[in-house]
Amino acid sequence: ADVDPWPIPDELITAGNPEAAGRFLWQSEDKRLGNGVWICTPGSFTWEYTWDETIYLLEGEVTIANQNGNSNTYSAGDLFFVPAGTSSSWYVTKAARKVFHLRSDTPVEL
């Protein structure tokens, strides 16, 4: 899928120069459900999840640490879930490409 720039706000970047892009491939009429693709170059940033997200990593490697200090490293072929309310730190160590499904209590505009 072709992707559009989805820049990570400068104030969230903690290391490097991660450049992100993505595209919704499907979104419900009420914008509370969506599927898409997202890519990111290496670097680190923080992210607050306001929606539930199921992620399948197609390429690359990322380590995600949550607010409780737990961290997991994911690589191509891994499927994982991040619940709404999670405060995270993303460490993209190898350029990543993911497909995602999100579910939100409120409409999502990206």
Side-chain angles (χ1 to χ4, degrees), residues 1-7 19-25 36-40 58 96-100:
D2 291 330
V3 292
D4 300 314
W6 283 1
E19 294 182 16
R23 176 172 293 248
F24 270 117
L25 301 175
V37 62
W38 179 85
I39 62 174
C40 189
L58 295 167
R97 177 181 297 267
K98 71 177 184 178
V99 289
F100 62 87

Side-chain angles (χ1 to χ4, degrees), residues 8-19 40-47 63 88-93:
I8 299 166
D10 289 341
E11 65 272 14
L12 301 181
I13 296 173
T14 56
N17 184 31
E19 294 182 16
C40 189
T41 61
S44 302
F45 56 92
T46 60
W47 191 256
T63 298
S88 65
S89 295
W90 276 66
Y91 305 92
V92 180
T93 53

Side-chain angles (χ1 to χ4, degrees), residues 2 5 7 15 33 35-36 40 66 82 93-94 98:
D2 291 330
L33 300 172
N35 297 321
C40 189
N66 67 22
V82 181
T93 53
K94 294 180 185 173
K98 71 177 184 178

Side-chain angles (χ1 to χ4, degrees), residues 39-107:
I39 62 174
C40 189
T41 61
S44 302
F45 56 92
T46 60
W47 191 256
E48 301 285 329
Y49 278 86
T50 57
W51 56 73
D52 292 327
E53 186 170 333
T54 301
I55 298 168
Y56 182 76
L57 198 60
L58 295 167
E59 298 174 5
E61 184 176 87
V62 302
T63 298
I64 303 172
N66 67 22
Q67 67 268 23
N68 299 323
N70 299 320
S71 68
N72 290 297
T73 298
Y74 303 99
S75 55
D78 287 341
L79 176 70
F80 56 99
F81 175 76
V82 181
T86 299
S87 296
S88 65
S89 295
W90 276 66
Y91 305 92
V92 180
T93 53
K94 294 180 185 173
R97 177 181 297 267
K98 71 177 184 178
V99 289
F100 62 87
H101 173 78
L102 62 84
R103 191 215 57 82
S104 177
D105 292 335
T106 60

